[in-house]
Amino acid sequence: MLNPPPNVHGGVKGHSNITNARPHKGNKFQFTTDLLNFYPSISAKRVYLTLVRLGFSSHMSRWITKLTTWKHELPQGTPTSHILQILFSETDIKLIELCNNHNITYTRYVDDLTFSSQQDFRPLLNEFLEIIMSTGLKLSYRKTKYKGNQTITGIDVFLHKIDAPDKIKVRSRIEIETNSTIKPITNYLNNILKANKSSK
């Protein structure tokens, strides 16, 4: 499987932090967690073994591993760093299956994982954590939260809408009041507001 599931939004053409947050609008219960040191935790050996398991020859897997890793790990911020989408796809599928069985919405934006539902799913949290931690990756417990109306990948998510945080609105107002020729923050704010008119 070379293409990430539709639940994955980070590093995927046509997707963004906005499309990642939008599916959770209207869900009262939200669970968010973050993978700690995601990129450095992916070793060259893991890249190689995953590629072999996906059907690549050992020769091709070695070359892809050499091209995508640095100092025996997956570097962050390089054009090839999105190979992690492939490496995490098996875990994505397990999480999607569990969510589909319990009417839970799941999205992932790089190393930010979000789950939400209209029903309380707290009893399932340990199952989610077991699936994630079975990969050998660690969680940032400081960023692991179970509550409603959270900020998801930089977007405030409520029952009836998504919205930009106040700091984005303030910066947009400054752009407008100073008659800036280029208004990236205002454009970003408008894209968030437009997303409320789009379907899930």
Side-chain angles (χ1 to χ4, degrees):
M1 178 178 179
L2 299 182
N3 295 317
N7 306 61
V8 177
H9 296 260
V12 178
K13 186 176 180 180
H15 292 245
S16 66
N17 65 314
I18 299 173
T19 64
N20 180 77
R22 187 178 61 195
H24 302 283
K25 180 180 69 173
N27 288 341
K28 181 179 179 180
F29 299 92
Q30 301 168 0
F31 173 56
T32 56
T33 190
D34 181 88
L35 299 171
L36 191 64
N37 298 322
F38 194 19
Y39 288 90
S41 298
I42 306 296
S43 66
K45 180 179 180 181
R46 182 169 185 171
V47 173
Y48 171 79
L49 293 175
T50 300
L51 292 170
V52 170
R53 189 164 61 250
L54 289 171
F56 289 89
S57 67
S58 58
H59 176 74
M60 183 62 70
S61 297
R62 276 196 296 272
W63 272 107
I64 294 176
T65 300
K66 287 181 179 180
L67 291 170
T68 58
T69 59
W70 174 253
K71 294 184 178 179
H72 309 293
E73 63 185 38
L74 192 65
Q76 185 172 353
T78 65
T80 57
S81 63
H82 291 305
I83 193 172
L84 69 85
Q85 307 291 26
I86 299 173
L87 301 177
F88 205 75
S89 61
E90 292 181 1
T91 305
D92 283 323
I93 291 172
K94 291 179 182 177
L95 293 171
I96 290 168
E97 289 177 350
L98 179 58
C99 287
N100 287 346
N101 290 335
H102 296 277
N103 197 29
I104 296 170
T105 299
Y106 164 63
T107 63
R108 178 169 65 82
Y109 189 80
V110 190
D111 55 356
D112 290 303
L113 285 68
T114 305
F115 308 82
S116 68
S117 177
Q118 295 180 8
Q119 305 297 322
D120 187 356
F121 60 98
R122 187 184 294 273
L124 293 170
L125 297 188
N126 283 338
E127 289 189 56
F128 288 127
L129 295 176
E130 286 174 5
I131 291 173
I132 297 167
M133 297 180 72
S134 68
T135 62
L137 299 173
K138 297 180 180 179
L139 297 177
S140 172
Y141 287 100
R142 180 175 60 86
K143 297 181 180 179
T144 299
K145 302 174 183 177
Y146 183 78
K147 63 178 184 178
N149 296 343
Q150 291 199 45
T151 298
I152 297 172
T153 53
I155 307 293
D156 291 341
V157 179
F158 303 99
L159 285 177
H160 304 293
K161 67 176 183 178
I162 63 172
D163 203 355
D166 289 341
K167 62 181 180 180
I168 296 296
K169 295 178 181 179
V170 170
R171 292 173 64 187
S172 171
R173 195 176 304 119
I174 293 172
E175 284 183 344
I176 294 171
E177 292 176 351
T178 57
N179 293 317
S180 298
T181 304
I182 302 174
K183 299 181 176 66
I185 303 301
T186 302
N187 291 336
Y188 175 59
L189 173 59
N190 289 336
N191 286 335
I192 295 173
L193 299 178
K194 287 178 183 176
N196 285 313
K197 301 177 182 178
S198 305
S199 59
K200 262 190 171 185

